[in-house]
Amino acid sequence: MAHRRARPRTRFAQVSTVHESIDARLRAFVEAQPVFFVGTAPQAGGHVNVSPKGLSDTFTVVDEHTVAYLDLTASGAETIAHLRENGRITLMFCSFEHKPNVVRLQGTGRVVSLYDDDFASWAARFPPNPAARSVIVVDVDRVSDSCGYSLPLMSLDEERDLLTPNMERRGPDGVVAYRRQKNRTSVDGLPAFDDDGLPG
């Protein structure tokens, strides 16, 4: 009876590690990912929200304990609602390439609205986008990574070129009207992005 030859195993670190800060290695990893996930929740009850975020150059590491991303107008504003209520946030970055890894950045987030005085300075960190409604700034108090052994191997074909052209076609007034219709409250009725005010 023939014996099967054991397949060689690729060795990766199996431990979950908590880091003191976002060091150079972790910064390179998170800034290279084409998609990341944002998790928030109301203070009590309600629905937990997880949002995928894409588009290149919309996320940046500011320093070892601060990150920020450009928040774009979309069909909901759950993250904004939850941050304005309690500030809790987790950002998760996953490797879908050969070397597995999952990085979580946990901390307290704040919303820098496009109507805030410091919006221009924060938005300058990213390419201009007509869909921009805020910058989410996160003070990171816990940095960890883990194995990611169960994640599939996937390759990126291209970015989806839909959101930005959609908002460009609406024009500035149309984008405001869209936010007034879609973004004023969360699914649980919390105030969300009501910064545009009511139609005058």
Side-chain angles (χ1 to χ4, degrees):
M1 179 173 163
H3 294 283
R4 288 185 177 180
R5 181 177 295 177
R7 295 174 61 185
R9 291 188 175 185
T10 304
R11 296 185 179 276
F12 298 115
Q14 300 184 33
V15 296
S16 175
T17 305
V18 177
H19 303 269
E20 292 185 1
S21 64
I22 306 170
D23 61 22
R25 179 185 67 84
L26 292 172
R27 176 175 187 155
F29 174 77
V30 298
E31 290 190 333
Q33 301 315 306
V35 62
F36 63 97
F37 303 88
V38 176
T40 58
Q43 185 67 36
H47 293 80
V48 174
N49 182 66
V50 179
S51 294
K53 304 295 181 182
L55 297 184
S56 61
D57 301 321
T58 55
F59 172 85
T60 188
V61 176
V62 179
D63 59 40
E64 292 182 338
H65 295 281
T66 312
V67 299
Y69 69 87
L70 188 66
D71 174 63
L72 303 177
T73 300
S75 58
E78 298 300 297
T79 301
I80 290 175
H82 297 158
L83 291 184
R84 286 179 165 171
E85 188 207 31
N86 61 70
R88 297 175 302 165
I89 189 169
T90 297
L91 280 63
M92 184 176 73
F93 303 79
C94 304
S95 170
F96 299 106
E97 298 177 343
H98 177 64
K99 186 175 181 179
N101 196 15
V102 176
V103 173
R104 291 178 178 85
L105 307 178
Q106 296 166 302
T108 303
R110 63 185 176 94
V111 180
V112 182
S113 165
L114 64 89
Y115 298 108
D116 289 341
D117 292 340
D118 55 346
F119 175 78
S121 61
W122 281 103
R125 298 172 182 269
F126 312 100
N129 192 302
R133 66 185 172 193
S134 70
V135 174
I136 304 300
V137 181
V138 181
D139 295 322
V140 179
D141 58 37
R142 189 176 191 272
V143 181
S144 66
D145 65 351
S146 54
C147 66
Y149 279 10
S150 65
L151 298 181
L153 291 170
M154 297 190 295
S155 60
L156 175 66
D157 291 334
E158 60 184 356
E159 291 190 332
R160 206 180 293 271
D161 188 24
L162 291 175
L163 188 148
T164 302
N166 179 284
M167 293 300 161
E168 286 176 337
R169 288 192 297 272
R170 293 175 185 273
D173 291 342
V175 174
V176 169
Y178 181 86
R179 285 197 299 260
R180 284 172 174 160
Q181 179 185 6
K182 300 283 190 178
N183 293 172
R184 292 184 62 80
T185 61
S186 75
V187 296
D188 298 311
L190 293 172
F193 193 86
D194 54 2
D195 305 42
D196 295 306
L198 295 172

